[in-house]
């Protein structure tokens, strides 16, 4: 039998309006009466009806999340951070994946209209501006991985992190460093490739087209790319993969080819997903606090949805809160493990470059 608000009111010997004011914090109620109402609601296991509440408050207590994909540990970690933060504020998630298709991304964005109070959108592709035209009207939006237009955005120091890892490989003595690049249309991939090239240029180390092999951010893509790198006229002695999934695929391909890591080929990745520490050998990677990206996105939405409840997140005279900033950049650090030799503590250490110097949240 479903317990209703009338049952709570009858048990607490108060009016339905009083129960509503207590449970929705929508008006003054004597502390003794408020405690009696909450005890009755808990004893009866009363759960407010979300649809009815939204009709009264115009709030759904739901946050929309649109990601390019939900496969892989990176997206799982982002979702974990989003979900934990949302639940902490009494919200639930409505999740949709675009499967790397612009048409599906548009459909997913349109499907959120009228169903969510705020939206977190990850737009890694370069045509993001066109997609933003399909955002729901009126709902606050936080972008992940892209800073486009006037929308609040959280991004990763892709360029600085990649540059730092390649500089680390150079410091180990490598001069033939290949890279497995992400999708051509992906903005993160472009920035990581730019960081790779910058580190080589600074060290006056030549780069070759055959050492830059296109991947797709999947294990299979990394596995396939190794064949091209090993077939190069002068094969690299180190591989920097633009994400950990491709690096893990590369480790598998090198093992199958009989190439010892790190003795004959050093390997490093980007993201530092949880699996990175458990592969053999453990993978060196550019650490990104992935779950924290999701948590921070929800914090930004809460500050826009309920500014009165989060004065510590608002700006004011003499206050320069990073929460108010339109664009926040996530710092990266290097985690050096056995896959690239050298230091192998598994500890996060500051990058050898200036990665993260301009970052605005940890």
């Amino acid at each position: 039998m479903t317990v209703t608000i009338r049952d709570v009111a009858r048990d607490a010997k108060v009016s339905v309006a009083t129960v509503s004011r207590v449970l929705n914090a929508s008006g003054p109620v004597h502390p003794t009466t408020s405690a009696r109402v909450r005890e009755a609601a808990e004893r009866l296991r009363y759960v407010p009806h979300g649809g009815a509440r939204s009709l009264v408050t115009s709030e759904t207590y739901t946050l929309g999340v649109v990601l390019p994909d939900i496969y892989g540990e990176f997206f799982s970690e982002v979702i974990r951070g989003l979900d934990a933060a949302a639940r902490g504020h009494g919200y639930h998630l409505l999740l949709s994946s675009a499967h790397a298709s612009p048409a599906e991304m548009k459909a997913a964005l349109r499907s959120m209209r009228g169903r969510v109070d705020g939206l977190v959108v990850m737009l890694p592709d370069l045509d993001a501006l066109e997609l933003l035209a399909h955002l729901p009207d009126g709902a606050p939006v936080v972008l992940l991985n892209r800073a486009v237009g006037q929308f609040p955005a959280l991004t990763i120091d892709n360029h600085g992190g990649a540059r730092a890892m390649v500089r680390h490989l150079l410091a180990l003595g490598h001069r033939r460093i290949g890279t497995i690049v992400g999708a051509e249309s992906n903005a993160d991939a472009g920035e990581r490739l730019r960081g790779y090239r910058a580190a080589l240029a600074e060290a006056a180390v030549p780069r070759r087209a055959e050492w830059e092999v296109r991947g797709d951010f999947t294990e299979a893509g990394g596995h396939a790319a190794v064949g091209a790198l090993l077939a190069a006229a002068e094969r690299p002695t180190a591989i920097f993969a633009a994400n950990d999934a491709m690096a893990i695929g590369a480790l598998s391909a090198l093992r199958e080819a009989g190439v010892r890591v790190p003795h004959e080929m050093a390997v490093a990745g980007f993201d530092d997903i949880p699996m990175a520490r458990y592969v053999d050998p453990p993978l060196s990677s550019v650490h990104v606090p992935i779950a924290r990206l999701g948590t921070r996105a929800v914090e930004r939405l809460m500050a826009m949805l309920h500014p009165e409840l989060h004065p510590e997140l608002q700006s004011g005279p003499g206050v320069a809160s990073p929460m108010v900033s339109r664009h926040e950049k996530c710092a990266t650090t290097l985690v050096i493990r056995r896959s690239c030799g050298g230091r192998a503590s598994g500890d996060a250490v500051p990058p050898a470059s200036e990665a993260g110097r301009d970052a605005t949240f940890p």
Side-chain angles (χ1 to χ4, degrees):
M1 179 179 176
T2 302
V3 177
T4 68
I5 192 172
R6 294 183 183 280
D7 296 325
V8 176
R10 188 181 303 112
D11 189 271
K13 296 181 173 56
V14 297
S15 68
V16 170
T18 298
V19 175
S20 178
R21 286 198 298 272
V22 171
L23 298 184
N24 293 312
S26 58
V29 178
H30 192 281
T32 301
T33 303
S34 178
R36 193 164 73 247
V37 168
R38 294 189 182 281
E39 288 170 3
E42 183 175 354
R43 183 169 57 254
L44 297 174
R45 297 183 180 180
Y46 171 67
V47 178
H49 188 280
R53 180 171 65 173
S54 68
L55 288 174
V56 175
T57 65
S58 298
E59 293 178 301
T60 66
Y61 290 88
T62 302
L63 302 179
V65 179
V66 180
L67 302 175
D69 204 339
I70 55 175
Y71 171 79
E73 283 198 88
F74 179 88
F75 294 114
S76 296
E77 284 293 290
V78 171
I79 294 169
R80 186 171 68 86
L82 288 163
D83 182 61
R87 285 188 292 108
H89 289 280
Y91 282 73
H92 293 280
L93 300 181
L94 180 60
L95 179 66
S96 185
S97 168
H99 305 288
S101 164
E104 290 197 36
M105 177 66 81
K106 293 175 185 177
L109 292 173
R110 289 195 297 267
S111 73
M112 298 290 177
R113 291 176 180 170
R115 303 171 68 184
V116 299
D117 297 334
L119 199 61
V120 177
V121 183
M122 183 177 286
L123 294 172
D125 290 330
L126 297 173
D127 61 352
L129 194 57
E130 177 189 346
L131 293 172
L132 292 178
H134 299 270
L135 288 171
D137 295 330
V141 175
V142 173
L143 302 182
L144 287 181
N145 285 31
R146 290 298 306 280
V148 182
Q150 296 301 308
F151 294 97
L154 309 177
T155 63
I156 297 167
D157 186 10
N158 291 299
H159 175 272
R163 176 172 170 260
M165 182 57 82
V166 175
R167 288 186 64 179
H168 177 77
L169 294 172
L170 289 164
L172 293 177
H174 295 283
R175 290 299 179 268
R176 303 197 305 273
I177 303 173
T179 184
I180 306 176
V181 189
E184 190 170 3
S185 63
N186 187 283
D188 290 341
E191 283 297 289
R192 293 173 193 182
L193 177 60
R194 196 168 67 85
Y196 159 84
R197 289 174 173 174
L200 294 183
E202 290 164 4
V205 172
R207 63 182 180 86
R208 298 184 181 180
E210 63 266 32
W211 293 346
E212 296 180 3
V213 180
R214 186 66 62 181
D216 59 2
F217 281 147
T218 68
E219 292 88 346
H223 187 281
V226 165
L229 289 171
L230 293 182
E234 192 174 15
R235 82 183 193 187
T237 62
I239 298 173
F240 167 63
N243 79 337
D244 287 347
M246 294 193 297
I248 290 170
L251 287 174
S252 177
L254 291 169
R255 186 179 303 111
E256 293 169 8
V259 178
R260 296 180 303 156
V261 178
H263 311 86
E264 297 174 82
M265 185 77 73
V267 178
F270 199 113
D271 289 333
D272 193 30
I273 60 176
M275 181 61 68
R277 71 191 63 187
Y278 300 114
V279 295
D280 185 25
L283 179 66
S284 295
S285 187
V286 179
H287 175 77
V288 177
I290 308 170
R292 178 63 179 146
L293 279 174
T295 300
R296 190 67 164 186
V298 171
E299 290 175 355
R300 292 291 299 266
L301 282 180
M302 289 300 107
M304 289 185 280
L305 287 167
H306 304 290
E308 74 285 355
L309 300 179
H310 299 277
E312 75 281 5
L313 303 181
Q314 308 306 314
S315 62
V319 177
S321 169
M323 185 61 69
V324 181
S325 170
R326 285 285 179 185
H327 176 202
E328 297 181 75
K329 184 180 289 187
C330 176
T332 59
T333 52
L334 300 188
V335 178
I336 305 305
R337 302 188 179 98
R338 286 195 291 111
S339 69
C340 66
R343 176 190 172 111
S345 69
D347 297 328
V349 298
S353 74
E354 296 178 356
R357 184 181 68 174
D358 298 326
T360 53
F361 76 99

